[in-house]
Amino acid sequence: MAKSSKIPDPTIERLAQYSRPLEVLLKNGALLILSEKLAELCGVSPAQVRKDLAYFGEFGIRGVGYDIRALLQEIKHILATDREWTLCIVGMGNLGRALVENENFQRRGYNFVAVFDSDPKKIGKTLPCGLTIEPANKIRELIRKLGITIGVISTPPFEAQRVANLLIDSGIKAILNFAPTRIRTPDNCAVENVDFTVKLENLAYHLGKIS
Amino acid sequence: MAKSSKIPDPTIERLAQYSRPLEVLLKNGALLILSEKLAELCGVSPAQVRKDLAYFGEFGIRGVGYDIRALLQEIKHILATDREWTLCIVGMGNLGRALVENENFQRRGYNFVAVFDSDPKKIGKTLPCGLTIEPANKIRELIRKLGITIGVISTPPFEAQRVANLLIDSGIKAILNFAPTRIRTPDNCAVENVDFTVKLENLAYHLGKIS
DNA sequence: CCTATTATGTGCATAAATTCACAATAAGCT
DNA sequence: AGCTTATTGTGAATTTATGCACATAATAGG
Ligand SMILES: NC(=O)c1ccc[n+]([C@@H]2O[C@H](COP(=O)([O-])OP(=O)(O)OC[C@H]3O[C@@H](n4cnc5c(N)ncnc54)[C@H](O)[C@@H]3O)[C@@H](O)[C@H]2O)c1
Ligand SMILES: NC(=O)c1ccc[n+]([C@@H]2O[C@H](COP(=O)([O-])OP(=O)(O)OC[C@H]3O[C@@H](n4cnc5c(N)ncnc54)[C@H](O)[C@@H]3O)[C@@H](O)[C@H]2O)c1
């Protein structure tokens, strides 16, 4: 049963990772998987896999393993990815465009329904995906009209907090931020940051210890 | 002093994060910062900041704070970002192009010196940044010739492991992987994965608990 | 030169996350 | 049915990371 208050944060992150190979296996027609196998595919320990899943219920069959289809469904349900989400992107530069054209998001239920920019030269342009770039001053209106719940920020860092405030003001409850700066949000708005250079610096650190 | 074996992994990640606001402060002419202020800017506790830094030495002045310029230099030295790195990108789709055009990397000493693709229609094209897309079969040759140490993978997931093997074979010691799949590397090759959809699923989980 | 003030550096306590090890249980076999 | 085998689910032990609280050291002011 879901003792929902006490779930470790890393567990949530791993659940998403578990779903990747499960999807592939399911597509390939596999029916069953052992914690040991899934662990290996994800680079974690088998006990970790079992414990992560056990936080939410008993999804396996002792002595047998996990039914792949059922397990995937459970994980998707836990992560609330068994429904459709509507998102918008603010800042349609190189990264924003790469995001909106990537069909991985769509396939997982993350639907971009509006994209914004403040550059007059970009506003009004229609993208290959069919969306037209809207001016930043329509953010509030369109978020409400289209019922957008997740906002993606891919503006330069200096604009990120201003944009975040605008999104929060418009009722957004979750933000994915690609600008390499921390943005502040009230407690009722979740933020996840993606900063590639931090990852690179991690690599550099490890390389530096060798060479 | 560097008891280098016992540094927590999260500490390394945070060091990179500390450097962001420090760079901004330095540019703005600030000279001094307190652990409390830096902590606030990064969303961590002041004790955490001090402890993280203390793993590597005594960089502050008691009763006074940290000299911003010196601290930044120390952090860069620890992370080995006080030197230049040469990298290549394999897979010049939307994401690969966004990465190579982003001057943030260059500014931090991460220099893309070669980019590869397997699509004949893309090979030979010259990008705004001045690099020409090379065929995948020149990966080995160019990595050696240009002394490339870090490889970036932005191919579809199905190709990622194959590409990784090629990079490892060519002597690469660190890989930044954007394909949403785990890649296996020998112990002497570090990997960092960047998976946006995992972050989104994190957000969805938190949203799901509310609405 | 001494005292008050301030903010760092750090040993110790606490909390969080992972791993261990085994009891529980399902399925197959005889 | 009972016995064997396999793998899950989980409490307890261990490891890892964070936070606390104060000793330490530097500075400023009288
Ligand atoms: N491109 C990458 O590979 C990459 C990698 C890591 C981080 N990032 C970060 O992601 C962000 C975007 O990167 P990019 O390469 O697409 O940059 P970019 O300069 O190509 O695009 C930024 C876009 O944001 C728009 N913009 C600026 N202010 C705005 C505002 N207030 N409202 C709406 N739109 C606004 C600009 O007009 C521009 O189109 C940056 O913060 C960058 O540091 C990018
Ligand atoms: N675009 C995004 O916003 C985004 C977001 C998250 C993850 N990703 C992931 O990043 C990767 C790249 O995304 P994208 O949007 O640029 O995809 P894309 O399809 O636009 O580009 C992939 C490129 O890789 C090339 N390629 C394929 N096999 C290759 C090989 N063996 N050697 C060299 N090149 C090869 C293709 O020719 C193509 O140019 C994908 O795995 C994607 O899932 C992308």
Side-chain angles (χ1 to χ4, degrees):
Chain A
M1 283 304 123
K3 312 119 188 174
S4 56
S5 50
K6 294 300 301 160
I7 313 289
D9 242 43
T11 290
I12 303 303
E13 194 126 325
R14 280 191 300 267
L15 284 183
Q17 279 159 358
Y18 298 157
S19 70
R20 303 282 174 282
L22 288 177
E23 279 174 357
V24 175
L25 287 166
L26 185 65
K27 186 175 293 177
N28 293 348
L31 297 174
L32 213 72
I33 191 160
L34 309 184
S35 61
E36 191 182 337
K37 185 78 191 307
L38 184 54
E40 218 236 309
L41 289 169
C42 298
V44 303
S45 75
Q48 185 78 82
V49 169
R50 296 200 297 273
K51 178 141 287 195
D52 283 342
L53 296 173
Y55 281 117
F56 299 94
E58 304 201 3
F59 306 140
I61 305 161
R62 296 181 188 205
V64 178
Y66 297 88
D67 178 280
I68 292 178
R69 181 185 302 276
L71 180 58
L72 193 52
Q73 202 149 19
E74 289 287 358
I75 291 177
K76 284 186 170 176
H77 184 70
I78 293 163
L79 295 175
T81 46
D82 57 348
R83 52 172 118 168
E84 299 288 313
W85 295 97
T86 54
L87 354 197
C88 67
I89 306 181
V90 185
M92 290 306 290
N94 290 315
L95 184 61
R97 240 164 307 158
L99 292 170
V100 81
E101 299 299 339
N102 190 261
E103 84 290 345
N104 261 334
F105 295 108
Q106 208 84 347
R107 203 156 42 70
R108 291 179 189 284
Y110 300 109
N111 304 301
F112 297 114
V113 298
V115 298
F116 302 96
D117 206 293
S118 59
D119 182 349
K121 283 197 288 290
K122 291 183 177 167
I123 293 166
K125 287 247 169 78
T126 297
L127 303 166
C129 66
L131 289 174
T132 299
I133 299 177
E134 303 285 345
N137 62 26
K138 290 184 80 175
I139 289 179
R140 198 188 175 79
E141 176 195 336
L142 284 174
I143 284 178
R144 304 226 164 150
K145 196 163 90 185
L146 302 172
I148 296 168
T149 46
I150 303 177
V152 176
I153 298 179
S154 56
T155 65
F158 183 68
E159 294 289 323
Q161 183 65 60
R162 187 200 318 275
V163 169
N165 293 344
L166 206 52
L167 293 174
I168 294 159
D169 246 33
S170 312
I172 287 278
K173 289 286 178 288
I175 293 175
L176 184 63
N177 173 39
F178 285 91
T181 185
R182 194 172 87 94
I183 58 177
R184 279 151 214 280
T185 59
D187 286 346
N188 64 3
C189 179
V191 193
E192 289 284 332
N193 294 289
V194 181
D195 191 336
F196 311 164
T197 52
V198 168
K199 295 287 181 183
L200 270 181
E201 276 156 25
N202 242 301
L203 288 175
Y205 171 74
H206 289 295
L207 280 176
K209 288 199 305 187
I210 303 165
S211 59
Chain B
M1 285 303 124
K3 313 121 186 168
S4 53
S5 51
K6 296 299 303 158
I7 313 289
D9 243 44
T11 290
I12 303 302
E13 194 126 328
R14 279 190 301 266
L15 284 183
Q17 280 158 0
Y18 298 157
S19 71
R20 303 281 174 284
L22 287 177
E23 279 173 358
V24 175
L25 288 165
L26 184 66
K27 186 174 292 177
N28 293 350
L31 297 174
L32 212 71
I33 189 157
L34 309 183
S35 62
E36 191 183 337
K37 186 80 191 306
L38 184 54
E40 218 235 309
L41 289 168
C42 298
V44 304
S45 76
Q48 185 78 79
V49 169
R50 296 201 297 275
K51 178 143 290 197
D52 283 342
L53 296 173
Y55 280 117
F56 299 94
E58 303 202 2
F59 305 140
I61 305 163
R62 295 178 189 207
V64 179
Y66 298 87
D67 178 280
I68 291 177
R69 182 185 300 278
L71 181 58
L72 193 51
Q73 203 150 19
E74 288 289 357
I75 291 177
K76 283 184 171 179
H77 183 68
I78 293 163
L79 296 176
T81 46
D82 57 349
R83 51 173 117 167
E84 299 288 313
W85 295 98
T86 53
L87 354 196
C88 68
I89 307 182
V90 184
M92 291 307 291
N94 291 314
L95 184 61
R97 241 165 306 160
L99 292 169
V100 82
E101 300 298 340
N102 189 259
E103 83 292 343
N104 261 335
F105 295 108
Q106 207 85 345
R107 204 158 41 70
R108 290 178 189 285
Y110 299 109
N111 304 300
F112 297 113
V113 297
V115 298
F116 303 95
D117 206 292
S118 60
D119 182 348
K121 285 198 286 288
K122 290 183 179 167
I123 294 166
K125 286 248 168 77
T126 297
L127 304 165
C129 66
L131 290 173
T132 299
I133 299 177
E134 303 285 346
N137 62 27
K138 289 184 81 177
I139 288 179
R140 197 186 175 83
E141 176 194 336
L142 284 173
I143 284 179
R144 304 225 163 151
K145 194 161 95 187
L146 302 173
I148 295 168
T149 46
I150 303 176
V152 176
I153 299 178
S154 55
T155 65
F158 182 67
E159 294 288 323
Q161 183 66 60
R162 188 200 316 276
V163 169
N165 294 344
L166 206 50
L167 294 173
I168 294 159
D169 245 33
S170 312
I172 287 281
K173 289 286 178 287
I175 293 175
L176 184 64
N177 174 39
F178 285 92
T181 184
R182 193 172 89 94
I183 57 177
R184 280 149 212 278
T185 60
D187 287 346
N188 64 2
C189 181
V191 193
E192 288 284 334
N193 294 290
V194 181
D195 191 336
F196 312 164
T197 49
V198 168
K199 297 287 182 183
L200 270 180
E201 275 157 24
N202 242 301
L203 288 175
Y205 171 74
H206 289 295
L207 280 176
K209 288 199 305 190
I210 304 163
S211 58

